[in-house]
C-alpha cells in the first residue's frame, strides 16, 4: 500500500513540476509584440510537448503499478508454497584484486524462483523464442518470463502482448540516440544494447527483487531440458565462490565437434559464453556501478570483471540462435552459429550429482585426464593416424601456435584477454573426427596472458 501511495505521489509531483516549468517559461519569456502568431504557435507547441511527456510518465506509472501488483500476487503465492525466501539487502561488493575471486554469500534457497529475462527489440520472430520457453517451462511460478523490449517496435510489441499474462512485458523508457565517439558511430546499436541490458537487469534485481535470473535474447531457441539444466546448476552457483555464471552455450558446439550421445557432460570454462546464462543478484550488485556503455559481453571477459572466476557450460548447447539479422550484420552466423548443435534429449540433471563441477573436485579429475592423454601433432590428427588412441592432447606454447592449431582443427581461434573460447586453464575440449581432443598449454601453465588477444 505504501509503494502504491509513493507511485501516486510521484506522478503528482511530475505533473506539478512540469506545469510549473511551463508557466515559468511563459512568465519569464520576453514579450514579442511584433510576432503574436509566433508566440501563439510556441505556446501550442509547448502544451503539446507537455501532453506527450505526461502521457509518457503515465505509461511508465501504469507499467510499474501493473507489474508491482503482479509481482505481489506471484510472490504471495510462492511464499505460501514455501519456495521463495524474503529479499535480502544488496551485498557490498568492494574492489578486490583482479586475480582474487569474489565470494558469493548464498542468499537464496536452491529452490528460489528463477525468472527468464528475454531481451527483445525489433524482431517479431521473438514468438519462436517465447513459444519454446512456454512449451518447455515446467512451472509458471518457478520460472516467470519477463520480456524487456527496447526500440519501441510496434509489431514486436503486438507479438509480445498477444501472450497476455503468460509473460510480463516491460518496456525500456529511454529510446533516445546515444552520444558516441565519432569513430563509433556505426556501433550505436551496441551502445543501445548495453543501455538496455543495464535497465532490464536493474528492473529484475532492483524493482522485482529476484535473487537470480536467466538471461536470453529474442533470437534464441531453447532445448527441452533448458529449465532442468539451470535448476540443477543453480545450487552450484550458490555454493562455489569460484563460479560467477552458468551458461547454456558451448562456443565450439558444432555438431561434428560435440559428443551428442552424451548430453549430460558439463564443464567449467574461464570464458564468459553468454547466450543463455544465469547470474545471481550479488553479481549484479558488483557489475552495475561500472557497467560499460557498449560491448558489454567482451567487457565481461576482461580480467577486471572475471576476477579468476569460471562458468559452467554444457558439451551440447541448450540454446541455439536463429537471428542472422542484428547489430553484427550476421557476423559469424553463416559460417558458424547456424551449425551449433541444439540438444534434443532431456537429461534429468536435478537427479544427477553435479558436485564434480566444484573447483577442487573438478581439477582433481579433469587435469590428470588432460595431461595423462598421449600427445599428438596436428598433422597426425589431420591424417587420422594412431586411431587406437581414443583421447589425445595437442599442446600449444604461444599465442600463434594456439591460433594455428585451433584453425587447423576447426576450433574458434579468437582469444579475449588471453582466454580461448570454452577454455578452462587454457584447455579447450572438443571432438575431432570422432575422438576427444584437448588443445592444451604445458602442464606448468601459470595463468592467462592478456596480451594474447
Amino acid at each position: 500500500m505504501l509503494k502504491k501511495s509513493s507511485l501516486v505521489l510521484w506522478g503528482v509531483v511530475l505533473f506539478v513540476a512540469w506545469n510549473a516549468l511551463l508557466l515559468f517559461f511563459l512568465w519569464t519569456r520576453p514579450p514579442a509584440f511584433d510576432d503574436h502568431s509566433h508566440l501563439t504557435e510556441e505556446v501550442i507547441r509547448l502544451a503539446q510537448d507537455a501532453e506527450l511527456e505526461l502521457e509518457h510518465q503515465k505509461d511508465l506509472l501504469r507499467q510499474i503499478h501493473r507489474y508491482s501488483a503482479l509481482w505481489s500476487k506471484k510472490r504471495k503465492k510462492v511464499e505460501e508454497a514455501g519456495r521463495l525466501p524474503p529479499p535480502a539487502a544488496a551485498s557490498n561488493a568492494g574492489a578486490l584484486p583482479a586475480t582474487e575471486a569474489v565470494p558469493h554469500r548464498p542468499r537464496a534457497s536452491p529452490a528460489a524462483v528463477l525468472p527468464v529475462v528475454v531481451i527483445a527489440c525489433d524482431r517479431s520472430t521473438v514468438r519462436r523464442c517465447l513459444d519454446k520457453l512456454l512449451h518447455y517451462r515446467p512451472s509458471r511460478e518457478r520460472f516467470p518470463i519477463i520480456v524487456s523490449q527496447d526500440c519501441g517496435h510496434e509489431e514486436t510489441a503486438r507479438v509480445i502482448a498477444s501472450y497476455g499474462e503468460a509473460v510480463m512485458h516491460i518496456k525500456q523508457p529511454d529510446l533516445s540516440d546515444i552520444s558516441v565517439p565519432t569513430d563509433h558511430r556505426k556501433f550505436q546499436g551496441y551502445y543501445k544494447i548495453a543501455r538496455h541490458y543495464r535497465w532490464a537487469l536493474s528492473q529484475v534485481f532492483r524493482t522485482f527483487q529476484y535473487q537470480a535470473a536467466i538471461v536470453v535474447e529474442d533470437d534464441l531457441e531453447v532445448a527441452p531440458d533448458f529449465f532442468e539444466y539451470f535448476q540443477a546448476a543453480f545450487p552450484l552457483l550458490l555454493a562455489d565462490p569460484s563460479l560467477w555464471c552458468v551458461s547454456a552455450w558451448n562456443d565450439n558446439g558444432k555438431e561434428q565437434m560435440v559428443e551428442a550421445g552424451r548430453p549430460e557432460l558439463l564443464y567449467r570454462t574461464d570464458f564468459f559464453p553468454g547466450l543463455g546464462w544465469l547470474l545471481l543478484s550479488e553479481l549484479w550488485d558488483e557489475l552495475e556501478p561500472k557497467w560499460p556503455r557498449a560491448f558489454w559481453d567482451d567487457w565481461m571477459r576482461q580480467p577486471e570483471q572475471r576476477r579468476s572466476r569460471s562458468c559452467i557450460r554444457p558439451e551440447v548447447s541448450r540454446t541455439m540462435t536463429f537471428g542472422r539479422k542484428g547489430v553484427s550484420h550476421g557476423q559469424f552466423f553463416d559460417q558458424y552459429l547456424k551449425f551449433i548443435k541444439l540438444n534434443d534429449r532431456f537429461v534429468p540433471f536435478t537427479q544427477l550429482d553435479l558436485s564434480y563441477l566444484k573447483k577442487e573436485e573438478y581439477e582433481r579429475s579433469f587435469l590428470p585426464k588432460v595431461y595423462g592423454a598421449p600427445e599428438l601433432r596436428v598433422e597426425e590428427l589431420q591424417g587420422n593416424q594412431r586411431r587406437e588412441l581414443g583421447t589425445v592432447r595437442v599442446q600449444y606454447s604461444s599465442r600463434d601456435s594456439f591460433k594455428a592449431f585451433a584453425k587447423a582443427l576447426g576450433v574458434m581461434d579468437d582469444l579475449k584477454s588471453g582466454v580461448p573460447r570454452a577454455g578452462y586453464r587454457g584447455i579447450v575440449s572438443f571432438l575431432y573426427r570422432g575422438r576427444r581432443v584437448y588443445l592444451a598449454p604445458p602442464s606448468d601453465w601459470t595463468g592467462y596472458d592478456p596480451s594474447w588477444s
Side-chain angles (χ1 to χ4, degrees):
M1 193 65 188
L2 184 60
K3 286 185 180 178
K4 291 181 182 177
S5 301
S6 300
L7 291 174
V8 172
L9 179 61
W10 179 240
V12 172
V13 169
L14 285 174
F15 180 83
V16 172
W18 182 262
N19 283 279
L21 284 172
L22 177 60
L23 288 172
F24 178 76
F25 174 80
L26 293 175
W27 285 341
T28 57
R29 182 184 174 90
F33 298 109
D34 57 335
D35 192 1
H36 294 289
S37 62
H38 178 72
L39 179 59
T40 303
E41 289 174 2
E42 186 70 10
V43 171
I44 292 172
R45 185 186 66 78
L46 286 169
Q48 289 173 337
D49 287 347
E51 185 178 356
L52 286 172
E53 181 62 24
L54 285 171
E55 283 299 318
H56 177 65
Q57 297 297 334
K58 281 163 63 180
D59 182 60
L60 280 176
L61 287 169
R62 279 194 294 266
Q63 281 193 58
I64 293 171
H65 183 269
R66 177 188 171 198
Y67 294 124
S68 179
L70 284 172
W71 162 248
S72 298
K73 190 187 301 181
K74 289 179 179 179
R75 183 178 180 79
K76 184 177 179 182
K77 186 185 296 184
V78 176
E79 282 179 340
E80 288 172 354
R83 290 183 295 198
L84 179 64
S91 65
N92 179 19
L96 294 176
T99 57
E100 185 176 344
V102 179
H104 291 155
R105 292 190 300 274
R107 302 185 313 178
S109 158
V113 171
L114 300 179
V116 178
V117 185
V118 181
I119 303 294
C121 182
D122 58 355
R123 290 189 182 105
S124 57
T125 51
V126 66
R127 184 180 299 281
R128 179 172 169 182
C129 171
L130 293 177
D131 283 349
K132 289 291 186 179
L133 284 170
L134 291 169
H135 179 68
Y136 294 130
R137 180 171 67 171
S139 165
R140 177 173 177 168
E141 288 73 31
R142 183 77 196 278
F143 299 101
I145 295 173
I146 302 171
V147 185
S148 180
Q149 188 189 0
D150 198 2
C151 306
H153 190 248
E154 291 185 7
E155 183 184 352
T156 302
R158 283 194 296 271
V159 169
I160 298 167
S162 70
Y163 288 86
E165 292 194 357
V167 305
M168 186 183 292
H169 186 191
I170 60 176
K171 298 177 183 178
Q172 151 75 304
D174 186 359
L175 304 181
S176 62
D177 282 340
I178 300 174
S179 176
V180 302
T182 304
D183 59 343
H184 273 205
R185 284 177 183 167
K186 63 181 179 180
F187 300 128
Q188 174 84 212
Y190 290 99
Y191 282 79
K192 289 186 175 182
I193 288 172
R195 178 177 67 184
H196 184 199
Y197 261 87
R198 180 172 193 160
W199 181 83
L201 290 175
S202 293
Q203 293 299 302
V204 170
F205 294 122
R206 303 285 180 255
T207 303
F208 302 126
Q209 296 187 2
Y210 283 108
Q211 305 296 306
I214 302 166
V215 183
V216 301
E217 295 189 3
D218 56 358
D219 62 344
L220 291 182
E221 181 176 324
V222 303
D225 57 357
F226 174 86
F227 293 96
E228 174 79 0
Y229 167 63
F230 282 112
Q231 183 177 343
F234 176 55
L236 282 172
L237 196 57
L238 290 173
D240 187 347
S242 70
L243 292 173
W244 71 325
C245 89
V246 177
S247 174
W249 183 259
N250 177 3
D251 276 291
N252 291 304
K254 289 183 178 179
E255 187 159 11
Q256 69 273 22
M257 298 181 69
V258 297
E259 199 168 347
R262 298 195 62 196
E264 75 281 0
L265 291 177
L266 303 178
Y267 300 86
R268 293 175 66 101
T269 176
D270 297 324
F271 191 90
F272 172 71
L275 293 172
W277 56 291
L278 169 68
L279 74 158
L280 300 179
S281 59
E282 286 99 331
L283 182 60
W284 187 241
D285 293 339
E286 175 193 330
L287 298 179
E288 183 187 26
K290 56 178 181 175
W291 192 251
R293 296 185 67 223
F295 310 110
W296 70 269
D297 48 352
D298 280 343
W299 175 83
M300 291 275 287
R301 293 161 183 153
Q302 294 171 359
E304 295 79 10
Q305 280 63 253
R306 190 173 69 81
R307 296 184 176 184
S308 299
R309 292 170 291 190
S310 304
C311 295
I312 300 297
R313 60 100 175 162
E315 168 81 0
V316 187
S317 290
R318 263 58 185 187
T319 56
M320 64 163 284
T321 177
F322 55 83
R324 186 179 186 280
K325 171 194 168 189
V327 292
S328 62
H329 305 293
Q331 182 185 19
F332 294 137
F333 185 84
D334 289 331
Q335 63 187 27
Y336 175 71
L337 294 175
K338 71 179 182 181
F339 299 111
I340 293 292
K341 165 70 175 174
L342 179 66
N343 180 57
D344 56 6
R345 305 184 188 187
F346 187 91
V347 176
F349 282 113
T350 55
Q351 299 174 30
L352 303 180
D353 180 5
L354 302 184
S355 61
Y356 70 91
L357 290 163
K358 291 180 180 179
K359 183 179 174 66
E360 293 76 13
E361 294 183 42
Y362 188 78
E363 293 188 355
R364 268 199 304 269
S365 61
F366 181 68
L367 296 181
K369 192 183 302 181
V370 172
Y371 291 102
E375 185 178 344
L376 249 64
R377 299 193 311 274
V378 169
E379 296 80 8
E380 292 177 301
L381 267 177
Q382 290 177 318
N384 209 20
Q385 299 174 24
R386 303 189 65 183
R387 286 300 304 177
E388 73 279 5
L389 302 176
T391 298
V392 298
R393 173 169 49 93
V394 173
Q395 186 163 297
Y396 66 90
S397 56
S398 67
R399 173 187 178 274
D400 290 342
S401 62
F402 170 81
K403 292 182 75 69
F405 296 164
K407 191 167 290 187
L409 298 172
V411 174
M412 292 199 78
D413 67 338
D414 59 324
L415 300 152
K416 303 291 183 180
S417 298
V419 184
R421 290 182 183 268
Y424 184 71
R425 291 180 56 89
I427 303 161
V428 181
S429 173
F430 59 97
L431 288 192
Y432 183 80
R433 296 189 176 178
R435 55 178 163 177
R436 178 65 56 184
V437 177
Y438 298 116
L439 181 57
S443 58
D444 60 353
W445 180 87
T446 55
Y448 294 107
D449 183 345
S451 69
W452 288 21
S453 293

